[in-house]
Amino acid sequence: MAIDLLLGLQWGDEGKGKIVDVLTKKYDIIARFQGGPNAGHTLEFDGIKHVLHTIPSGIFHPTATNLVGNGVVIDPVIFKQELDNLAPFDIDINTSLLVSRKAHLILPTHRLLDAASELAKGKAKIGSTLKGIGPTYMDKTGRNGIRVGDIELASWKTRYQALRDKHLAMVANMNVNLEYDMDSLDKAFFEAIDFLKTNISFVDSEQFLSVAQKEGKHILAEGAQGSLLDIDFGTYPFVTSSNTTAAGACTGLGVAPNKIGEVYGIFKAYTTRVGSGPFPTELFDEIGETMGRVGHEFGATTGRSRRCGWLDLVALKYAVEVNGVTQLMMMKGDVLSGFDTLNVCVSYDYRGQNIQHLPYSLNAEEVEPQYTSLPGWEEDLTKMRSEDELPKTFMDYVAFIEAYVETPIKIVSVGPDRNQTIFRSS
Ligand code: IMP
């Protein structure tokens, strides 16, 4: 059985958590393949809002198995906190949640290094979530990391101590003003490790998935962040430290490329970005401010306000192509109700040429977005539940996007709740 993928196509925060939750009924296994607690996947149902950082978004479905794959980086302290938040919901985490032994651990000193590195960069900072993501992936590729499977070995505390001390020396060398209490950081870390060892099943996840595929299980790989934050294909260096695109699912789960089935690409009807880095269609006016206010555009992990702007079809098409997207899902169309006109970026003026592809640099001095204006809609979409209720101007907006990116939009979401989801038949 092929494995389907679900990915964000912009700079993250597209609404992946909601769609995974909606689709989970069709799947036996939901598997996260990259990123870590920098993600904030929001799910809303029965009047309750849940934010997940490391745990896959299928966790609220009683029959789904949720797998944290080898490509994910895990902060045991945050992971334990997430599990504590699930306690009132009667979820048997012992059976419904599995963690790959090959996933790398975020140490408290990785977080310190992240903070020190951002302080040292000053104005050039990445705008990291400060969860230790970059330093942990650096230790992984530098072959110094500590993996989940290591904590089952007797010698691991010695290795922890050595890596921690090395990190502390690096922080000291960076000459930044960072206050921390290492004893309490160590204490919280080891308490969380003990909790995980007792409560969570560790697995050889590539083997687990291989058997599950042979048994005909339906598997969905859940991406985090977005394609424009990919370490290779994003707006480097203002990116995260993992491959957020489709190929990341292969390396982050141990799945062969020829085993990938559908690739669901999620995007917002406009664009947002949190943290630093180029954003050609960013709005600095009342329209951008309205999008942020109506769309509640605040980071689920950091609470930072998100930058907002028009939909960038050049960037969207790039993401569709890099990922091999087969179906699109458009989120937050409801937020655009009330604008007379909607602009969509259809090309860039770049170094004296008009282009329709993503160039090497998206820096504001080099890229001037070119727009087509489409009529807006007045209607409140949030109570609509079927395609035939949606206004014509909205459907024209959808059709324009589909034609540009040459991929069908199969779901439109008109609000945060599970039931505010319209499946399109055509
Ligand atoms: P890091 O992954 O915490 O190192 O952050 C690197 C960049 O990616 C920063 O601009 C963050 O704001 C951004 N980023 C990381 N995770 C997310 C996410 O889940 N949603 C949106 N932006 C993110």
Side-chain angles (χ1 to χ4, degrees), residues 11-13 38-40 114 126-130 133-134 225 229 239-241 274-276 304:
W11 278 290
D13 309 315
N38 48 351
D114 207 357
I126 305 295
S128 152
T129 59
L130 303 180
I133 305 295
Q225 291 81 50
L229 288 171
V239 292
T240 191
S241 299
V274 63
S276 327
R304 292 180 291 178

Side-chain angles (χ1 to χ4, degrees), residues 342-419:
L342 300 169
N343 290 339
V344 287
C345 169
V346 290
S347 65
Y348 300 139
D349 281 349
Y350 176 72
R351 298 183 182 172
Q353 278 188 307
N354 182 258
I355 58 166
Q356 287 199 351
H357 65 269
L358 215 74
Y360 175 73
S361 155
L362 278 190
N363 287 341
E365 314 82 65
E366 305 202 77
V367 169
E368 179 69 38
Q370 302 300 311
Y371 293 101
T372 290
S373 297
L374 301 171
W377 52 90
E378 275 300 319
E379 294 86 339
D380 173 8
L381 311 184
T382 58
K383 306 228 162 30
M384 300 186 181
R385 294 293 176 269
S386 69
E387 192 178 345
D388 48 15
E389 291 174 73
L390 293 164
K392 176 165 184 316
T393 41
F394 176 83
M395 293 314 296
D396 290 345
Y397 189 75
V398 166
F400 190 88
I401 298 166
E402 287 181 312
Y404 189 100
V405 301
E406 299 174 291
T407 312
I409 298 178
K410 293 285 194 177
I411 288 181
V412 292
S413 169
V414 291
D417 199 276
R418 262 181 195 167
N419 64 25

Side-chain angles (χ1 to χ4, degrees), residues 280-355:
T281 61
E282 183 169 12
L283 290 163
F284 299 95
D285 57 9
E286 217 174 279
I287 296 177
E289 191 270 320
T290 307
M291 286 175 181
R293 182 169 34 79
V294 178
H296 306 288
E297 294 296 354
F298 298 95
T301 299
T302 57
R304 292 180 291 178
S305 42
R306 298 179 185 139
R307 301 151 66 191
C308 296
W310 296 120
L311 182 61
D312 184 339
L313 288 180
V314 180
L316 188 67
K317 190 161 188 182
Y318 169 81
V320 165
E321 283 169 359
V322 166
N323 289 302
V325 170
T326 57
Q327 313 187 14
L328 288 164
M329 285 141 190
M330 187 175 96
M331 313 302 286
K332 289 195 154 181
D334 52 295
V335 173
L336 295 184
S337 291
F339 293 113
D340 290 343
T341 304
L342 300 169
N343 290 339
V344 287
C345 169
V346 290
S347 65
Y348 300 139
D349 281 349
Y350 176 72
R351 298 183 182 172
Q353 278 188 307
N354 182 258
I355 58 166

